[in-house]
Amino acid sequence: MSENSETPDDTAPGTAESATAPDGATATAPGPQPEPIRFFGTTWVAHDGHYGLRRVGVAVGSLAAAAASCFVLRFAYQGLEIADVGSFVGILVVLMFAVCSAIAFRKTWEGFSGRPADPAREDNLRGLKTIGFIGGLLAYFIRTFSEAPGEKLRRAEYEAAQVRYAKRRSARTGNPAARKTARAKKARRK
């Protein structure tokens, strides 16, 4: 959902009820606005705006970036062999990249289906996820076969925000002052 400084505290993270232009005019339709997804924008809502092509592009791009990254890491490993640091250091480097890639894959995959329970812990894992960037790229590649990465989570949040907005709007129909005077008139008649 789009960020808005006027968002009430009881709304879910990333949900805004309405966006307004600086002059006070409504910039978009009232109600919650969908949160954009990287590389997809808001095309995930209605699967319009070349959504299918974007998914194919993200899949191809993430796989190509992962392959290029592996190629670069191979050069780094060959540099270690040329430096003759020993097989122990070489094994440690390979093991480090493998473990970090597995952690990055898992955390990236979990991020597609839910918001982190502890954002501070996610910040602490940022270094490991950076080292294991290949795992994150592979998670993007695999996820694009079923949806835009993170689409299911954002769709659930967006639909929940729409339901909350509709409930609030239906509870506030009419002029509350007019209802009070109507009740007061009924009470005086009795």
Side-chain angles (χ1 to χ4, degrees), residues 19-87:
T20 57
D23 61 354
T26 302
T28 58
Q33 301 300 314
E35 183 178 354
I37 297 176
R38 184 181 299 153
F39 306 120
F40 293 91
T42 57
T43 60
W44 60 268
V45 177
H47 293 184
D48 59 351
H50 305 293
Y51 172 80
L53 290 176
R54 289 174 189 238
R55 275 183 49 192
V56 169
V58 168
V60 169
S62 61
L63 186 62
S69 300
C70 288
F71 192 65
V72 170
L73 287 177
R74 180 172 181 232
F75 281 131
Y77 184 76
Q78 286 177 345
L80 289 174
E81 286 181 348
I82 292 171
D84 197 25
V85 293
S87 62

Side-chain angles (χ1 to χ4, degrees), residues 56-156:
V56 169
V58 168
V60 169
S62 61
L63 186 62
S69 300
C70 288
F71 192 65
V72 170
L73 287 177
R74 180 172 181 232
F75 281 131
Y77 184 76
Q78 286 177 345
L80 289 174
E81 286 181 348
I82 292 171
D84 197 25
V85 293
S87 62
F88 181 69
V89 174
I91 291 171
L92 283 179
V93 168
V94 170
L95 187 62
M96 176 197 61
F97 274 106
V99 169
C100 290
S101 290
I103 291 171
F105 181 89
R106 181 172 175 241
K107 289 298 179 181
T108 303
W109 193 267
E110 287 174 356
F112 295 147
S113 58
R115 302 271 181 194
D118 187 9
R121 184 164 184 240
E122 291 296 316
D123 287 342
N124 291 337
L125 291 174
R126 186 177 298 150
L128 286 174
K129 289 166 60 174
T130 302
I131 293 170
F133 62 97
I134 294 174
L137 290 170
L138 292 176
Y140 257 85
F141 171 70
I142 293 170
R143 191 60 169 216
T144 55
F145 287 117
S146 61
E147 65 176 7
E151 177 182 344
K152 186 176 183 181
L153 171 66
R154 290 194 176 74
R155 187 172 302 281

Side-chain angles (χ1 to χ4, degrees), residues 7-13 15 17 164 168:
T7 303
D9 290 337
D10 63 336
T11 57
T15 59
E17 299 307 322
R164 283 193 310 271
R168 270 199 325 271

